[in-house]
Amino acid sequence: MFSDLADRKAQARRVVRQLKKDYPIAECALNYETPFQLLIATILSAQCTDVRVNIVTKDLFAQYPDAHAMARAPVKTLEKLVQTTGFFRNKAKNIHAASQALDEKFDGEVPQDLAVLVDLPGVGRKTANVVLGTAFGIPSGIVVDTHVGRLTKRMGLTDKADAVKIEKELLEIVPKKEWIQFSHRLIHHGRAICAARKPKCHDCHFAKFCPQVGVA
DNA sequence: ATCCCGAGGG
DNA sequence: CCCTCTGGAT
């Protein structure tokens, strides 16, 4: 439908304009005080709601506020603290190992480099892009999570399924200065209106140019 | 492609 | 029951 690049760019402009109108201030919904804490919260957010992550990180960060402290926490204790976010053994292992790496190699600071971030345990492109964009204001790419993937496909901005391919296509049609806010706004819209299972198309301001409306 | 793995909604 | 929720590693 929007296979042509020019068409997808035009559609991207409509989407960005409406996003700005509907969600003028779209921030990360995860609670954090430092880049390190945002990194940990984002690792924990895999397959889990941000609301639940915030419940867990309240106690987690009270006990282990930085990389130096978390690197010295017993993994079993971390497992208990992050248990309700799902995948808790992997997540506990990853936040512990990532904290150790940061503490030993980077003096506890979070490096502002996508390749270095992706090298940390439990950190992929999605998490790295969140940290660089939200904590440091560096537009290193576009965060493609389950919401961004679903909405950009519905709105005709991409027809890809793979997150990396979706990001590549989005980078071509969304202005760089919009990259950081673009994802946050789509995520808000995905939660409030364009839900995965029962989208509220009647309340959706994007319906007038959304190719998905009326489609089974 | 499959596994990790928990809570909440429908 | 099945699906979804700000994924990553094998």
Side-chain angles (χ1 to χ4, degrees):
Chain A
M1 176 164 306
F2 290 103
S3 53
D4 183 65
L5 181 61
D7 287 341
R8 292 195 297 113
K9 279 189 178 177
Q11 180 74 344
R13 278 194 290 274
R14 295 185 200 101
V15 171
V16 168
R17 188 184 309 126
Q18 193 65 48
L19 282 174
K20 287 182 176 179
K21 204 174 292 182
D22 286 5
Y23 310 97
I25 49 154
E27 295 168 5
C28 182
L30 296 170
N31 296 337
Y32 64 97
E33 303 268 339
T34 64
F36 168 76
Q37 292 186 358
L38 177 61
L39 174 68
I40 298 301
T42 308
I43 292 174
L44 295 178
S45 74
Q47 303 299 103
C48 173
T49 62
D50 52 337
V51 174
R52 180 148 302 281
V53 173
N54 288 336
I55 293 171
V56 161
T57 53
K58 190 169 191 283
D59 291 327
L60 180 68
F61 294 156
Q63 296 185 44
Y64 309 110
D66 53 42
H68 189 75
M70 198 170 289
R72 281 154 185 75
V75 179
K76 284 294 177 190
T77 304
L78 295 179
E79 285 185 1
K80 287 197 179 84
L81 283 166
V82 305
Q83 194 258 347
T84 60
T85 65
F87 303 162
F88 65 92
R89 292 191 188 87
N90 272 336
K91 287 178 180 176
K93 179 156 53 87
N94 285 335
I95 64 176
H96 185 255
S99 295
Q100 283 191 330
L102 292 175
D103 187 38
E104 292 168 9
K105 299 179 190 173
F106 305 100
D107 198 28
E109 297 297 309
V110 177
Q112 302 180 27
D113 184 310
L114 187 127
V116 177
L117 286 173
V118 167
D119 212 39
L120 294 170
V123 178
R125 277 194 71 88
K126 184 259 173 185
T127 299
N129 277 332
V130 167
V131 171
L132 289 174
T134 304
F136 297 121
I138 301 171
S140 64
I142 292 178
V143 173
V144 178
D145 61 10
T146 177
H147 289 298
V148 174
R150 182 180 69 251
L151 269 64
T152 53
K153 189 168 184 177
R154 282 179 178 171
M155 291 178 179
L157 298 180
T158 181
D159 60 352
K160 301 290 189 279
D162 177 71
V164 175
K165 290 178 182 172
I166 293 173
E167 182 184 357
K168 186 175 181 298
E169 293 207 332
L170 293 178
L171 294 178
E172 296 170 354
I173 59 176
V174 177
K176 190 168 187 174
K177 62 180 169 61
E178 308 292 344
W179 286 359
I180 297 171
Q181 290 296 311
F182 182 71
S183 294
H184 285 147
R185 287 170 170 145
L186 276 180
I187 290 163
H188 279 269
H189 187 61
R191 287 198 309 218
I193 305 291
C194 195
R197 200 177 296 189
K198 216 176 73 177
K200 302 170 184 171
C201 298
H202 291 291
D203 299 327
C204 182
H205 297 161
F206 299 71
K208 53 183 175 292
F209 54 81
C210 178
Q212 187 65 28
V213 174
V215 180

